[in-house]
């Protein structure tokens, strides 16, 4: 892996429960996200894009990200996603902004559905760790692309 790799302390049970709660709302979260995007100045990013296929790919990405520790397959997926994002003209700032918007929606899903404050804290800490690790790696991929490009 890379210099940011740290052995993942999040249990499989916590990951599965986190995805169970987020997975309940993921289609609505993504529908809201793309509705906002389509009604913004960033609409051109969706030109020539099959949004339904993209939503399907994102659901699979998030499921894998939440349910499985980071591994070499994840690193390959991240490189492909980064190349696609660059290909459509998505800036790293837009990427991170979108990511934080989705993270907020995921947090709200957890808060609505968690079985009490203790579970909510455990799941929100795991969510923060997973999303932070992914953002760090995306930013590192951007730096690597800039250094080699």
């Amino acid at each position: 892996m890379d210099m940011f790799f740290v052995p993942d302390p999040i249990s499989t049970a916590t990951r599965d429960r986190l995805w169970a709660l987020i997975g309940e709302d993921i289609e609505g979260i993504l529908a809201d996200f793309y509705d906002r995007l389509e009604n913004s100045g960033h609409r051109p990013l969706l030109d020539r894009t099959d949004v339904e296929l993209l939503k399907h790919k994102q659901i699979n990405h998030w499921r894998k990200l939440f349910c499985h520790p980071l591994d070499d397959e994840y690193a390959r997926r991240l490189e492909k996603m980064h190349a696609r994002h660059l290909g459509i003209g998505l800036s790293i700032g837009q990427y991170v902004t979108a990511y934080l918007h989705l993270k907020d929606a995921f947090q709200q899903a957890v808060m609505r559905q968690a079985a009490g404050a203790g579970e909510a804290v455990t799941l929100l800490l795991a969510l923060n760790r997973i999303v932070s690790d992914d953002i760090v790696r995306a930013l590192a991929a951007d730096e690597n692309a800039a250094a080699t490009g």
Side-chain angles (χ1 to χ4, degrees):
M1 201 43 71
D2 58 33
M3 69 184 224
F4 297 108
F5 180 74
V6 175
D8 193 338
I10 303 168
S11 73
T12 300
T14 298
R15 286 177 169 279
D16 289 346
R17 179 66 175 148
L18 182 60
W19 178 248
L21 299 186
I22 293 170
E24 287 286 318
D25 289 355
I26 191 74
E27 289 182 17
I29 289 169
L30 292 176
D32 176 65
F33 175 77
Y34 283 103
D35 285 347
R36 287 173 179 266
L37 189 57
E38 287 178 359
N39 293 303
S40 76
H42 301 294
R43 170 71 179 97
L45 291 171
L46 297 177
D47 289 348
R48 300 179 317 274
T49 300
D50 181 342
V51 173
E52 291 307 312
L53 178 61
L54 187 55
K55 287 179 191 176
H56 176 74
K57 288 181 177 186
Q58 283 190 311
I59 289 169
N60 285 331
H61 164 73
W62 289 111
R63 181 184 49 77
K64 287 177 184 177
L65 185 64
F66 285 119
C67 293
H68 304 287
L70 303 180
D71 57 14
D72 289 336
E73 186 221 339
Y74 161 83
R76 285 188 297 277
R77 272 194 343 267
L78 182 64
E79 287 177 16
K80 285 182 182 180
M81 284 187 298
H82 185 66
R84 286 185 190 125
H85 290 154
L86 290 176
I88 65 166
L90 187 70
S91 73
I92 197 66
Q94 291 166 325
Y95 177 81
V96 171
T97 300
Y99 215 121
L100 293 175
H101 173 82
L102 292 171
K103 178 184 172 190
D104 180 65
F106 297 156
Q107 289 172 327
Q108 290 177 35
V110 169
M111 293 300 293
R112 275 193 308 278
Q113 300 177 72
E119 181 182 53
V121 167
T122 298
L123 295 176
L124 291 173
L125 288 171
L127 170 66
N128 188 59
R129 171 73 187 259
I130 291 166
V131 171
S132 294
D133 284 352
D134 198 42
I135 290 174
V136 165
R137 284 172 178 77
L139 292 171
D142 188 63
E143 289 295 318
N144 291 340
T148 60

